[in-house]
Short mmCIF file of all heavy atoms in Angstrom, two decimals:
data_model
loop_
_atom_site.label_atom_id
_atom_site.label_comp_id
_atom_site.label_asym_id
_atom_site.label_seq_id
_atom_site.Cartn_x
_atom_site.Cartn_y
_atom_site.Cartn_z
N VAL A 1189 -0.69 21.15 2.34
CA VAL A 1189 -1.80 22.11 2.21
C VAL A 1189 -1.39 23.47 2.78
O VAL A 1189 -0.54 23.54 3.69
CB VAL A 1189 -3.12 21.66 2.91
CG1 VAL A 1189 -3.66 20.35 2.34
CG2 VAL A 1189 -2.89 21.44 4.42
N SER A 1190 -2.07 24.53 2.30
CA SER A 1190 -1.85 25.84 2.88
C SER A 1190 -3.16 26.41 3.40
O SER A 1190 -3.16 27.43 4.09
CB SER A 1190 -1.27 26.82 1.91
OG SER A 1190 0.01 26.39 1.43
N GLY A 1191 -4.29 25.82 3.04
CA GLY A 1191 -5.55 26.44 3.33
C GLY A 1191 -6.62 25.52 3.85
O GLY A 1191 -6.36 24.60 4.68
N GLY A 1192 -7.82 25.69 3.36
CA GLY A 1192 -8.99 25.02 3.82
C GLY A 1192 -8.96 23.50 3.70
O GLY A 1192 -9.53 22.77 4.53
N GLY A 1193 -8.37 23.00 2.60
CA GLY A 1193 -8.22 21.59 2.47
C GLY A 1193 -9.40 20.79 2.04
O GLY A 1193 -9.59 19.63 2.43
N THR A 1194 -10.26 21.39 1.14
CA THR A 1194 -11.40 20.54 0.65
C THR A 1194 -10.87 19.42 -0.23
O THR A 1194 -11.45 18.34 -0.30
CB THR A 1194 -12.47 21.40 -0.10
OG1 THR A 1194 -11.91 21.98 -1.28
CG2 THR A 1194 -13.06 22.45 0.76
N ASN A 1195 -9.77 19.68 -0.98
CA ASN A 1195 -9.22 18.60 -1.80
C ASN A 1195 -8.65 17.50 -0.89
O ASN A 1195 -8.81 16.30 -1.18
CB ASN A 1195 -8.13 19.13 -2.72
CG ASN A 1195 -8.69 19.73 -3.97
OD1 ASN A 1195 -9.15 19.05 -4.85
ND2 ASN A 1195 -8.71 21.09 -4.06
N LEU A 1196 -8.01 17.91 0.16
CA LEU A 1196 -7.50 16.96 1.17
C LEU A 1196 -8.64 16.13 1.69
O LEU A 1196 -8.55 14.86 1.79
CB LEU A 1196 -6.81 17.72 2.34
CG LEU A 1196 -6.58 16.89 3.59
CD1 LEU A 1196 -5.57 15.77 3.38
CD2 LEU A 1196 -6.11 17.78 4.77
N ARG A 1227 -8.47 19.13 9.73
CA ARG A 1227 -9.17 17.98 9.07
C ARG A 1227 -8.33 16.70 9.31
O ARG A 1227 -8.88 15.62 9.54
CB ARG A 1227 -9.26 18.22 7.57
CG ARG A 1227 -10.21 19.37 7.24
CD ARG A 1227 -10.26 19.48 5.69
NE ARG A 1227 -10.87 20.69 5.18
CZ ARG A 1227 -12.18 20.79 4.94
NH1 ARG A 1227 -13.01 19.78 5.10
NH2 ARG A 1227 -12.69 21.91 4.49
N LEU A 1258 0.26 17.89 -3.55
CA LEU A 1258 0.13 19.33 -3.26
C LEU A 1258 -1.37 19.67 -3.45
O LEU A 1258 -1.79 19.66 -4.60
CB LEU A 1258 1.01 20.18 -4.14
CG LEU A 1258 2.51 19.84 -4.25
CD1 LEU A 1258 3.22 20.87 -5.07
CD2 LEU A 1258 3.10 19.71 -2.88
N ALA A 1259 -2.07 19.89 -2.36
CA ALA A 1259 -3.53 20.12 -2.46
C ALA A 1259 -3.76 21.54 -1.94
O ALA A 1259 -4.17 21.73 -0.80
CB ALA A 1259 -4.25 19.08 -1.65
N GLY A 1260 -3.47 22.54 -2.81
CA GLY A 1260 -3.61 23.93 -2.35
C GLY A 1260 -2.44 24.31 -1.54
O GLY A 1260 -2.59 24.97 -0.49
N PHE A 1261 -1.21 23.91 -1.93
CA PHE A 1261 0.03 24.29 -1.23
C PHE A 1261 0.60 25.50 -1.95
O PHE A 1261 1.07 25.37 -3.09
CB PHE A 1261 0.97 23.10 -1.23
CG PHE A 1261 2.18 23.31 -0.36
CD1 PHE A 1261 2.04 23.47 1.01
CD2 PHE A 1261 3.45 23.37 -0.90
CE1 PHE A 1261 3.15 23.70 1.84
CE2 PHE A 1261 4.53 23.58 -0.09
CZ PHE A 1261 4.40 23.75 1.27
N LEU A 1262 0.54 26.64 -1.30
CA LEU A 1262 0.84 27.91 -1.98
C LEU A 1262 2.32 28.30 -1.78
O LEU A 1262 2.61 29.38 -1.33
CB LEU A 1262 -0.06 29.03 -1.45
CG LEU A 1262 -1.55 28.80 -1.72
CD1 LEU A 1262 -2.34 29.99 -1.17
CD2 LEU A 1262 -1.82 28.65 -3.23
N ASN A 1279 0.24 17.93 -8.31
CA ASN A 1279 -0.39 19.17 -7.92
C ASN A 1279 -1.74 19.29 -8.58
O ASN A 1279 -1.91 18.76 -9.72
CB ASN A 1279 0.51 20.36 -8.32
CG ASN A 1279 -0.11 21.71 -7.92
OD1 ASN A 1279 -0.50 21.89 -6.79
ND2 ASN A 1279 -0.10 22.64 -8.85
N ILE A 1280 -2.67 19.94 -7.88
CA ILE A 1280 -3.95 20.26 -8.53
C ILE A 1280 -4.02 21.75 -8.81
O ILE A 1280 -3.70 22.55 -7.92
CB ILE A 1280 -5.14 19.78 -7.62
CG1 ILE A 1280 -6.50 20.21 -8.21
CG2 ILE A 1280 -5.03 20.25 -6.19
CD1 ILE A 1280 -7.08 19.30 -9.19
N HIS A 1281 -4.35 22.08 -10.03
CA HIS A 1281 -4.42 23.51 -10.37
C HIS A 1281 -5.83 23.82 -10.95
O HIS A 1281 -6.34 23.05 -11.79
CB HIS A 1281 -3.35 23.88 -11.42
CG HIS A 1281 -3.36 25.33 -11.76
ND1 HIS A 1281 -2.86 26.28 -10.94
CD2 HIS A 1281 -3.87 25.99 -12.82
CE1 HIS A 1281 -3.04 27.50 -11.44
NE2 HIS A 1281 -3.68 27.34 -12.64
N PRO A 1282 -6.45 24.95 -10.56
CA PRO A 1282 -7.83 25.19 -10.97
C PRO A 1282 -8.02 25.87 -12.30
O PRO A 1282 -8.82 26.79 -12.44
CB PRO A 1282 -8.34 26.08 -9.78
CG PRO A 1282 -7.17 26.84 -9.37
CD PRO A 1282 -5.97 25.92 -9.60
N GLY A 1295 -5.64 30.65 -6.37
CA GLY A 1295 -6.93 31.03 -5.76
C GLY A 1295 -7.84 31.76 -6.75
O GLY A 1295 -7.94 31.41 -7.91
N HIS A 1299 -9.48 32.41 -11.58
CA HIS A 1299 -10.84 32.45 -12.11
C HIS A 1299 -11.19 33.87 -12.59
O HIS A 1299 -11.88 34.02 -13.60
CB HIS A 1299 -11.83 31.98 -11.08
CG HIS A 1299 -11.48 30.61 -10.58
ND1 HIS A 1299 -11.50 29.48 -11.34
CD2 HIS A 1299 -10.97 30.20 -9.36
CE1 HIS A 1299 -11.09 28.44 -10.67
NE2 HIS A 1299 -10.72 28.88 -9.45
N GLN A 1344 -15.13 29.38 -9.41
CA GLN A 1344 -14.27 28.66 -8.47
C GLN A 1344 -15.03 27.45 -7.89
O GLN A 1344 -14.50 26.38 -7.78
CB GLN A 1344 -13.88 29.62 -7.33
CG GLN A 1344 -12.95 28.96 -6.32
CD GLN A 1344 -12.55 29.98 -5.25
OE1 GLN A 1344 -13.37 30.67 -4.67
NE2 GLN A 1344 -11.25 30.04 -4.97
N VAL A 1347 -15.42 24.75 -10.58
CA VAL A 1347 -14.12 24.08 -10.82
C VAL A 1347 -13.73 23.14 -9.64
O VAL A 1347 -13.24 22.05 -9.84
CB VAL A 1347 -13.01 25.09 -11.13
CG1 VAL A 1347 -11.63 24.44 -11.17
CG2 VAL A 1347 -13.27 25.80 -12.45
N LEU A 1348 -13.96 23.67 -8.42
CA LEU A 1348 -13.58 22.88 -7.23
C LEU A 1348 -14.19 21.48 -7.20
O LEU A 1348 -13.52 20.52 -6.84
CB LEU A 1348 -13.99 23.68 -5.97
CG LEU A 1348 -13.31 23.28 -4.66
CD1 LEU A 1348 -11.80 23.31 -4.76
CD2 LEU A 1348 -13.79 24.21 -3.53
N GLU A 1351 -12.13 19.43 -9.42
CA GLU A 1351 -10.81 19.22 -8.77
C GLU A 1351 -10.91 18.00 -7.89
O GLU A 1351 -9.98 17.11 -7.93
CB GLU A 1351 -10.46 20.41 -7.93
CG GLU A 1351 -10.07 21.63 -8.65
CD GLU A 1351 -9.59 22.74 -7.75
OE1 GLU A 1351 -8.85 22.44 -6.78
OE2 GLU A 1351 -9.95 23.91 -7.96
N HIS A 1352 -11.94 17.93 -7.07
CA HIS A 1352 -12.08 16.79 -6.13
C HIS A 1352 -12.09 15.45 -6.89
O HIS A 1352 -11.45 14.51 -6.48
CB HIS A 1352 -13.32 16.97 -5.24
CG HIS A 1352 -13.27 18.15 -4.40
ND1 HIS A 1352 -14.39 18.70 -3.79
CD2 HIS A 1352 -12.22 18.97 -4.03
CE1 HIS A 1352 -14.06 19.79 -3.06
NE2 HIS A 1352 -12.74 19.95 -3.21
C1 GRF B 230 -7.70 24.64 -5.12
O1 GRF B 230 -8.41 25.52 -5.99
C2 GRF B 230 -6.49 24.12 -5.79
O2 GRF B 230 -6.64 23.91 -7.13
C3 GRF B 230 -5.51 25.19 -5.58
O3 GRF B 230 -5.79 25.66 -4.27
C4 GRF B 230 -7.16 25.44 -3.93
C5 GRF B 230 -7.16 24.66 -2.69
O4 GRF B 230 -8.48 24.45 -2.19
N1 GRF B 230 -4.16 24.70 -5.84
P1 GRF B 230 -8.69 23.50 -0.97
O5 GRF B 230 -7.80 24.00 0.14
O6 GRF B 230 -8.38 22.09 -1.33
O7 GRF B 230 -10.15 23.72 -0.60
#
Side-chain angles (χ1 to χ4, degrees):
V1189 297
S1190 298
T1194 63
N1195 278 287
L1196 164 67
R1227 292 183 193 269
L1258 308 185
F1261 188 64
L1262 298 180
N1279 181 47
I1280 174 86
H1281 182 77
H1299 307 293
Q1344 183 178 48
V1347 170
L1348 198 55
E1351 288 185 41
H1352 297 163

